Amino acid sequence: MDKKSLPDWDPRSEAVLKDQTTAYDDMRHRCPVAHSQYGYTSLFRHADVLRVLNDHETFSNAVSRFPAVPNGMDPPEHTAYRNLIERYFSPEHMDAFAPTCRDIAVRLVQALPDEGRAELIGEFAQIFALQIQCAWLGWPADFHEPLRLWTLKNHSATLSRDEAALSAVALEFDGYIKDLLDVRRTAGAAASHDITTLLLRDQSLGRPLTDDEIVSILRNWTVGELGTISASVGILAHYLATNFGWQQRLREQPALLPVAIDEILRIHAPLIMNRRVTTKEVTLGGRTLAKGSRIALNWASANRDEAVFGDPDELRLDRDPELNLLYGAGIHVCPGAPLARLELRIVMEELLGRTSRITLAPDKEPVNAFFPAGGFSSLHLQIQKPPSQPLGAGLPLEIR
């Protein structure tokens, strides 16, 4: 093989998967624009990633062979769909959903042991993500388990790059959603007033959305929400379990949680990368990429770039929020960010407000999640709760 065609790195090597954060930090310093045998050129520096995010004409989002409304589209097609879905994440929708979100968080925190061990990912974070997503979209409780199993199959198919499996899981999800739409059509005016029903009746494009459009929107919301919310809860709990000073400060001053959550998730990313494809020849980091080159934007590295953040492991509440790429940037910045921030703030308010101390279990090491996921696949914690819960425990307190 010609030396020039050899890959710069293997994103699925044992060394990378064992400690993704350290591996990406190394790539950012050693080879910030790197080719792999999987056909992607990975970008590790904040400046390069931000350049791509802000130049949607050169770096297209139309990378999937499946319809992806609207994140797999470019303007002008993207613009109308983006305007349509942004309304579902308005302050009014967030305010209306907040009580339901808090009820779910309270119930799950109360189910944790008063004093003892909990495996936080499977026993709490994944359940929270499933229940909160179904509640947000108005899906029935008996959909929780099928959706959980579907998520596992989707992750496995994505990791294996098995095209037949990817097609099968896509069709399975289509069937679930179309059944939910049929229930609402049959109910007519008596259909439940939820996000799924609102999408079915949406006329923002001057016509109803097709079933395929609704399925694509809901698939994108679901895939993005379930994995990143459960990963984020695990990352936040792990960070606070290993940094008791911050744990106690945020327990006493929960008004600081929104900024602290974004900063902790900058340090340890819940989502590793996203994709683009070049629409013309372009030079990045001194390397020339041909038209049609596939690019992987490595959020986990870009958000730890010393050129932007100094010490990437230092938690600071005074950073410029515009520099944090947790939810992306440019025209494709995550539309669901208001919902994710609401859910994470509330669940951490309740977890901190209804416990007195959270630590790592001494005899169980955390197990890192497997690429392309971030966070942990297993996280054993020791939970301590106060002897009695005062009325209103878990609700935001005043800053002291």
Side-chain angles (χ1 to χ4, degrees):
M1 181 183 289
D2 182 359
K3 186 176 181 180
K4 291 183 179 179
S5 67
L6 291 174
D8 298 303
W9 78 309
D10 180 359
R12 300 187 184 190
S13 70
E14 183 178 349
V16 171
L17 298 179
K18 182 178 180 180
D19 186 347
Q20 293 186 79
T21 298
T22 298
Y24 302 149
D25 285 348
D26 175 64
M27 290 301 298
R28 185 174 64 253
H29 303 146
R30 181 170 57 84
C31 188
V33 179
H35 301 308
S36 80
Q37 67 266 45
Y38 301 105
Y40 282 90
T41 297
S42 295
L43 306 183
F44 294 94
R45 291 187 301 206
H46 189 279
D48 291 332
V49 170
L50 192 60
R51 174 186 169 187
V52 171
L53 293 174
N54 287 327
D55 185 359
H56 58 269
E57 294 182 354
T58 304
F59 304 98
S60 169
N61 243 47
V63 296
S64 176
R65 66 188 184 89
F66 298 107
V69 181
N71 57 311
M73 298 174 168
D74 298 317
E77 184 183 30
H78 166 269
T79 306
Y81 286 104
R82 175 74 189 215
N83 291 339
L84 182 155
I85 68 170
E86 280 186 340
R87 296 181 297 109
Y88 292 95
F89 301 99
S90 67
E92 292 76 19
H93 276 296
M94 298 303 98
D95 290 345
F97 184 60
T100 299
C101 183
R102 192 170 297 279
D103 287 345
I104 293 171
V106 167
R107 185 172 67 252
L108 292 178
V109 173
Q110 288 177 333
L112 292 171
D114 290 341
E115 185 168 355
R117 175 179 295 176
E119 195 293 291
L120 196 83
I121 304 304
E123 296 176 8
F124 183 85
Q126 291 175 351
I127 297 172
F128 175 74
L130 274 168
Q131 293 189 5
I132 213 75
Q133 179 70 358
C134 289
W136 162 248
L137 294 173
W139 296 347
D142 60 12
F143 192 40
H144 291 173
E145 183 61 10
L147 185 57
R148 185 187 71 83
L149 296 175
W150 177 85
T151 302
L152 295 175
K153 287 184 280 188
N154 184 65
H155 180 78
S156 176
T158 301
L159 183 63
S160 67
R161 301 163 65 88
D162 184 331
E163 296 296 332
L166 285 168
S167 296
V169 294
L171 285 173
E172 181 180 343
F173 189 86
D174 290 4
Y176 288 139
I177 302 306
K178 289 178 179 179
D179 286 347
L180 292 170
L181 296 180
D182 287 344
V183 168
R184 285 159 173 75
R185 286 194 179 98
T186 300
S192 56
H193 184 73
D194 53 44
I195 297 296
T196 303
T197 300
L198 291 175
L199 282 171
L200 186 62
R201 296 172 178 171
D202 197 299
Q203 296 275 345
S204 299
L205 300 180
R207 59 167 176 81
L209 292 168
T210 67
D211 281 7
D212 287 342
E213 288 170 331
I214 296 174
V215 166
S216 179
I217 290 170
L218 293 175
R219 185 193 300 117
N220 289 331
W221 286 355
T222 302
V223 172
E225 180 82 356
L226 292 181
T228 53
I229 289 299
S230 60
S232 295
V233 172
I235 290 166
L236 294 167
H238 177 270
Y239 188 91
L240 297 179
T242 54
N243 292 271
F244 187 72
W246 275 107
Q247 180 186 147
Q248 195 58 19
R249 183 179 180 186
L250 295 175
R251 183 175 281 117
E252 295 172 355
Q253 301 180 8
L256 300 178
L257 272 169
V259 176
I261 287 170
D262 279 10
E263 175 70 350
I264 293 169
L265 298 179
R266 177 198 63 76
I267 295 170
H268 188 163
L271 179 66
I272 300 300
M273 51 81 74
N274 207 299
R275 299 176 295 166
R276 297 292 191 274
V277 62
T278 58
T279 61
K280 59 185 178 183
E281 183 177 280
V282 63
T283 300
L284 283 165
R287 306 188 89 154
T288 299
L289 305 180
K291 178 181 178 180
S293 295
R294 295 185 293 173
I295 294 175
L297 308 180
N298 194 298
W299 312 114
S301 172
N303 257 348
R304 293 176 53 81
D305 193 332
E306 295 86 350
V308 176
F309 301 104
D311 180 357
D313 289 307
E314 182 185 7
L315 194 163
R316 289 177 44 185
L317 303 183
D318 61 347
R319 297 190 190 276
D320 180 353
E322 295 299 317
L323 297 175
N324 190 338
L325 301 179
L326 175 62
Y327 295 102
I331 66 167
H332 292 288
V333 66
C334 179
L339 178 62
R341 286 186 166 118
L342 171 77
E343 293 169 353
L344 294 174
R345 172 181 62 81
I346 287 178
V347 74
M348 294 311 296
E349 283 175 357
E350 296 301 334
L351 185 60
L352 291 174
R354 295 176 183 272
T355 60
S356 56
R357 190 177 183 89
I358 301 169
T359 57
L360 295 183
D363 58 343
K364 282 282 190 178
E365 289 289 327
V367 178
N368 291 331
F370 203 80
F371 178 88
F376 304 93
S377 61
S378 176
L379 178 62
H380 290 263
L381 300 179
Q382 290 291 129
I383 306 290
Q384 293 180 19
K385 294 181 180 177
S388 61
Q389 292 287 342
L391 185 63
L395 298 179
L397 308 174
E398 295 297 325
I399 295 179
R400 298 177 184 176

